[in-house]
Amino acid sequence: MNALLELRDVRAAHDGITVLHGVDLSVAAGQVVALLGPNGAGKTTTLRLAAGIHPAQSGQLLLGGRDVTGVDARDLARAGVCLIPEGRGVFPNLSVRDNLQMMTFTGRTRAEIEEIAYTRFPVLASRASQTAGTLSGGEQQMLALARGLATDPAVLLLDELSMGLAPLIVTKLYEQVAEIARQGVAVLIVEQFAAAVLGIADHAAVLVRGRVELQGSPDGGLRDELSALYLGSSA
Ligand SMILES: Nc1ncnc2c1ncn2[C@@H]1O[C@H](COP(=O)(O)OP(=O)(O)OP(=O)(O)O)[C@@H](O)[C@H]1O
Ligand SMILES: [Mg+2]
């Protein structure tokens, strides 16, 4: 399968301390890849690197086979890379409608963006004038996803979508994410805990202290190995 997004032997540091020690990952169009691992493993750093927000010390970032290492975040965003950051990418003091309205910089009209959002997440339509910060956690994640979709992403990078949400809500959000992937988007999802995301992932990689310790199909023995790895580590 041709990778749309690929990291090759990527190293990255914070304040001179290397936190990614040669990470290889690839995500094809239409594929959902789960990147799992304990606190501090380097998952967020990996996503930020893929979005061009965090620099690589060495290694390569490729988009559609093209080397985009060092290309800045704005250009990667224009090329279709969309990061939904940890802790929800919405403006809490603005209404749902205004959060969506801000995405008109993408060239889409407000009406188009609202239609995309409300078709996928009908509950947002009934909350259009509500302040985003007063939405439930799940609704805020829907809004964050809807804002991301307004950019017509080719690559969607999701950081802990499930944080603080009830399992049923997480399952529903992931169904939407799977549907987005089916339309041809390459999706890379970061989660600390595996259960929910493995249900929709085509492939999973487990990052531990900046290294991919384990990867494979969720249908294989990965679930068992994963629990052994988690129980075996002090994290
Ligand atoms: N801005 C920063 N400045 C300094 N160190 C950082 C910074 N961001 C992350 N780190 C360090 O880099 C390492 C990897 O952090 P990262 O946020 O990528 O982990 P993570 O896997 O996303 O963890 P979590 O599951 O807790 O979100 C950690 O040791 C962290 O302390
Ligand atoms: Mg993180």
Side-chain angles (χ1 to χ4, degrees):
M1 212 184 298
N2 283 341
L4 189 54
L5 176 75
E6 192 175 354
L7 275 69
R8 283 191 194 157
D9 199 20
V10 164
R11 294 173 158 268
H14 287 286
D15 302 330
I17 298 167
T18 302
V19 299
L20 298 180
H21 304 271
V23 170
D24 292 295
L25 264 184
S26 65
V27 192
Q31 200 185 25
V32 177
V33 173
L35 181 62
L36 310 169
N39 283 127
K43 304 179 300 294
T44 296
T45 305
T46 303
L47 287 192
R48 290 169 59 84
L49 193 138
I53 298 164
H54 193 89
Q57 280 178 306
S58 64
Q60 285 178 300
L61 175 67
L62 295 105
L63 192 62
R66 199 164 62 90
D67 190 342
V68 292
T69 319
V71 169
D72 75 39
R74 219 175 316 165
D75 290 332
L76 285 183
R78 257 185 229 120
V81 178
C82 173
L83 170 66
I84 313 256
E86 222 167 353
R88 292 156 204 166
V90 302
F91 291 87
N93 299 325
L94 298 182
S95 68
V96 168
R97 187 177 284 119
D98 288 345
N99 265 277
L100 293 172
Q101 154 85 30
M102 289 175 68
M103 302 310 287
T104 51
F105 78 89
T106 58
R108 286 207 160 124
T109 66
R110 175 187 188 129
E112 284 168 337
I113 292 170
E114 287 195 84
E115 197 197 322
I116 295 167
Y118 302 156
T119 303
R120 194 167 292 285
F121 304 109
V123 67
L124 293 179
S126 60
R127 307 265 159 187
S129 53
Q130 190 172 327
T131 309
T134 64
L135 295 172
S136 73
E139 289 162 354
Q140 288 186 40
Q141 284 297 30
M142 290 175 204
L143 179 57
L145 271 171
R147 281 169 48 87
L149 289 178
T151 67
D152 198 12
V155 175
L156 194 56
L157 308 167
L158 305 173
D159 201 349
E160 301 208 29
L161 200 64
S162 69
M163 200 193 280
L165 302 179
L168 189 65
I169 309 288
V170 174
T171 304
K172 285 192 173 154
L173 275 172
Y174 277 148
E175 278 166 15
Q176 291 299 327
V177 171
E179 177 60 33
I180 291 164
R182 274 195 287 276
Q183 290 169 6
V185 179
V187 182
L188 180 58
I189 307 186
V190 156
E191 283 290 351
Q192 255 182 61
F193 299 106
V197 72
L198 285 183
I200 60 154
D202 301 295
H203 186 86
V206 184
L207 198 63
V208 181
R209 287 180 291 274
R211 290 189 170 83
V212 176
E213 293 280 346
L214 191 67
Q215 57 180 318
S217 158
D219 306 329
L222 193 101
R223 279 174 209 264
D224 299 337
E225 288 182 63
L226 198 62
S227 46
L229 193 72
Y230 270 83
L231 294 172
S233 76
S234 55

